[in-house]
Amino acid sequence: MEKITAEKPISWLDGVDPKTGIIIQERHDLRGKSIKGKILEMPYSIGSTVGSYTFFKMKKHGTLPAKIVLGKPDPITQAAILAGVPVEVKGVKSQRIKYSVLTEGIPDRILSFIEAEAQVSGAEEVIPIASAHVSGASYELIGDAGLEFLEELASEGGKVRVPTTLNPVSLDLEDWRQLGFSQEYAEKQARIVSAYKRMGVNPTCTCTPYYAENCPLYGQHVSWAESSAVAYVNSVIGARTNRESGLKALASAILGGTPLYGLHLEENRKPRIKVQVEAPLRGHQYSWLGYWIGVNYGEIPLITGVKNVSRDQLKALGAGGGASGKMPLYHVEGITPEALKGIDKSRINLTVRFTLEELNDVRNKLTTTGQKPDLIAIGCPHLSLKEIEVIVQKLKGRKLECDLWLFTSRRNKIHASRTGWTTTLEEAGARLVADTCMVVSPIERLGYKITATNSAKAAHYLRTLRGQDTILGTISELMEKYSREV
Ligand code: F3S
């Protein structure tokens, strides 16, 4: 059987065309080559945790690789097992697994997936988890193949055993008509949410459930998908999760357990590089820093030179790193809990500087046009109440010259309506949108071609998934440029 080797990691969500099996990832060594029917050797994956659903799409189109051989354990790629692709990790031998959770009543395919995951990752035990967060809820991203899988699993009696929340879907579940979506599209999305509900998943439809519905405690073992949320619970809260695929987080939630390896183990949480921040960072520019670390290094960084950073800014930092690379954990000196406890720096073998030059490089790379935007999209990850309040203050007495959509959770949208913020926003021409975001919603089919944002993660995926020209700027810059006093 033909073998094909990828030198660079693959982003399954936007780096491969499921219809052809051809690698389309920018600057990838296999770009333009097909992996269909071949033995694929690759180091690991990067990017979105929803990428695991790409394997179901490939199965539908008959474009799956025959086998995958990984350089190191990688939960997102290992989800290919559920689509029938054998996965191996170089140098890992199979062994007997000890289950410290009950396995009775668990659907066979979930149990065999967890067993295979434990085998390829070299784990010897499956440990209990306290909670899960599942990605792979947007019909736009998982398509009919994902919908069918979820409905089948719900019919087989799959039920979560731990508190489990859900990532954003492809539309605002209440206001989809006003936003221009079709009935047929909304119905498919509703079927996905319904399948998750039948499995006992709390349909929060937000990537920031840690603000309210699902907040792990320091040191707890959990199984979370959604790369930005993974980075937040590991780094800011100090709970322990691998960067799970949406499918693996769901399987773990159903079993109530996960194989013990990777970031669940203390020794794997130590920083490998030091990033000295010398650029002054404002607002969401922390996502630009994360993006730069993800693109260039993709290791667990110890970040120094940062003071007075808010939790919202740390949220942005992890989102940027998770989009461009693989940064499921970072430490910020004097701020994040494991760094505060005193961190073992013995594995750091590289120190790099992030200056104004690097900051401007990120802005330039993610700004693809000098034209005026059709849409400003803010809220990747979903906005907190504090962030919404800041934007409301900035927009008082102003009128926007293009559309402005602010993405947040349903809970925050209700709060904004009760406090009168929604009225102020609507008077300025802005709109608060819940349950979804600019990346997982097909905004290009609503007529948008140029989108401005403050988020490096959003700018990255707006180009690769939504075909947008993008403008990256801070909220203050965008409001000043594209709104006027009235
Ligand atoms: Fe959240 Fe969508 Fe960004 S899921 S992190 S707002 S891409």
Side-chain angles (χ1 to χ4, degrees):
M1 197 172 295
E2 192 182 342
K3 191 152 84 164
I4 188 163
T5 303
E7 299 297 332
K8 292 188 176 179
I10 294 174
S11 172
W12 289 108
L13 181 62
D14 58 349
V16 60
D17 177 358
K19 290 196 181 119
T20 59
I22 290 175
I23 300 290
I24 52 172
Q25 195 168 317
E26 289 173 355
R27 293 181 296 280
H28 197 278
D29 49 295
L30 293 188
R31 188 173 163 90
K33 301 217 167 90
S34 171
I35 57 172
K36 176 181 165 181
K38 297 176 186 166
I39 299 174
L40 171 65
E41 276 198 7
M42 59 179 280
Y44 53 87
S45 75
I46 53 170
S48 171
T49 59
V50 190
S52 52
Y53 277 88
T54 299
F55 298 117
F56 290 126
K57 290 185 184 169
M58 294 177 83
K59 187 176 182 185
K60 230 178 163 82
H61 293 291
T63 60
L64 281 167
K67 180 177 172 180
I68 300 177
V69 182
L70 283 162
K72 59 178 173 183
D74 172 42
I76 294 177
T77 305
Q78 285 153 212
I81 294 167
L82 273 175
V85 180
V87 178
E88 278 176 19
V89 177
K90 275 187 190 160
V92 174
K93 296 205 173 61
S94 65
Q95 69 252 306
R96 203 176 162 74
I97 313 291
K98 176 184 162 206
Y99 282 82
S100 300
V101 290
L102 288 175
T103 54
E104 284 78 24
I106 302 297
D108 283 349
R109 60 169 142 178
I110 293 297
L111 211 47
S112 48
F113 174 43
I114 295 280
E115 174 78 22
E117 164 95 5
Q119 291 291 357
V120 296
S121 57
E124 292 173 0
E125 185 183 356
V126 172
I127 54 162
I129 53 166
S131 74
H133 178 71
V134 175
S135 66
S138 158
Y139 175 64
E140 189 61 23
L141 297 193
I142 70 170
D144 289 321
L147 166 60
E148 283 159 25
F149 170 80
L150 291 169
E151 288 189 331
E152 272 172 33
L153 193 56
S155 307
E156 281 170 27
K159 278 261 182 235
V160 300
R161 284 179 171 174
V162 293
T164 304
T165 42
L166 189 64
N167 227 30
V169 297
S170 56
L171 39 72
D172 187 311
L173 291 167
E174 291 179 5
D175 286 347
W176 55 269
R177 269 184 220 283
Q178 293 89 313
L179 296 172
F181 290 93
S182 73
Q183 175 92 25
E184 191 197 350
Y185 190 89
E187 276 171 10
K188 295 256 181 138
Q189 183 58 73
R191 279 171 57 191
I192 291 175
V193 174
S194 161
Y196 276 119
K197 278 195 207 164
R198 278 190 281 148
M199 289 190 266
V201 175
N202 181 353
T204 46
C205 303
T206 180
C207 49
T208 57
Y210 43 76
Y211 283 140
E213 298 91 345
N214 189 357
C215 187
L217 301 176
Y218 178 85
Q220 272 183 339
H221 293 279
V222 298
S223 245
W224 278 48
E226 170 47 52
S227 57
S228 68
V230 167
Y232 192 93
V233 300
N234 269 323
S235 316
V236 184
I237 295 174
R240 295 176 174 209
T241 180
N242 283 322
R243 175 174 151 266
E244 306 287 25
S245 65
L247 288 163
K248 167 61 189 7
L250 180 60
S252 288
I254 290 171
L255 178 62
T258 192
L260 177 63
Y261 75 99
L263 294 178
H264 291 282
L265 300 169
E266 185 80 33
E267 73 240 36
N268 297 328
R269 298 177 66 87
K270 295 172 187 164
R272 317 290 161 89
I273 59 162
K274 181 170 156 187
V275 179
Q276 216 164 290
V277 177
E278 294 172 15
L281 297 176
R282 285 175 297 142
H284 219 82
Q285 283 180 327
Y286 280 86
S287 79
W288 308 12
L289 165 64
Y291 191 83
W292 178 80
I293 297 172
V295 167
N296 293 294
Y297 304 102
E299 293 285 355
I300 300 169
L302 171 65
I303 298 168
T304 63
V306 165
K307 289 197 180 74
N308 302 324
V309 61
S310 70
R311 288 194 155 216
D312 287 329
Q313 288 170 320
L314 292 174
K315 166 185 80 172
L317 172 61
S324 60
K326 182 172 175 276
M327 194 178 75
L329 168 64
Y330 57 84
H331 304 286
V332 183
E333 197 167 63
I335 291 174
T336 53
E338 283 162 78
L340 277 174
K341 258 178 60 191
I343 206 154
D344 178 353
K345 299 177 187 165
S346 61
R347 289 207 190 153
I348 296 179
N349 52 19
L350 179 68
T351 298
V352 293
R353 294 164 61 225
F354 184 78
T355 67
L356 212 45
E357 193 180 333
E358 282 76 30
L359 184 73
N360 286 331
D361 278 352
V362 176
R363 182 198 291 273
N364 295 338
K365 181 170 187 289
L366 295 174
T367 299
T368 61
T369 179
Q371 291 180 44
K372 191 178 151 204
D374 314 312
L375 172 69
I376 302 174
I378 307 287
C380 172
H382 273 178
L383 292 164
S384 66
L385 285 173
K386 181 78 207 149
E387 289 172 308
I388 298 172
E389 189 182 16
V390 168
I391 296 169
V392 167
Q393 295 309 329
K394 282 188 195 299
L395 282 176
K396 267 194 183 145
R398 296 185 78 83
K399 192 84 190 159
L400 286 147
E401 292 172 353
C402 62
D403 289 351
L404 167 62
W405 286 17
L406 305 171
F407 296 93
T408 191
S409 62
R410 172 70 47 197
R411 154 185 34 84
N412 287 354
K413 187 172 173 180
I414 292 168
H415 181 99
S417 161
R418 289 178 182 163
T419 51
W421 292 346
T422 309
T423 311
T424 309
L425 291 170
E426 286 177 357
E427 280 168 4
R431 166 168 243 163
L432 206 51
V433 182
D435 310 321
T436 187
C437 78
M438 64 293 261
V439 169
V440 303
S441 177
I443 59 163
E444 71 283 12
R445 295 209 289 278
L446 305 178
Y448 295 116
K449 292 191 172 64
I450 302 175
T451 301
T453 182
N454 60 343
S455 159
K457 174 172 181 175
H460 173 91
Y461 285 121
L462 280 164
R463 277 191 313 119
T464 59
L465 291 177
R466 305 274 66 91
Q468 300 289 294
D469 264 317
T470 51
I471 299 161
L472 185 66
T474 64
I475 292 185
S476 299
E477 287 165 352
L478 297 175
M479 296 301 125
E480 207 156 291
K481 208 160 171 196
Y482 304 115
S483 73
R484 59 188 157 74
E485 269 182 53
V486 284

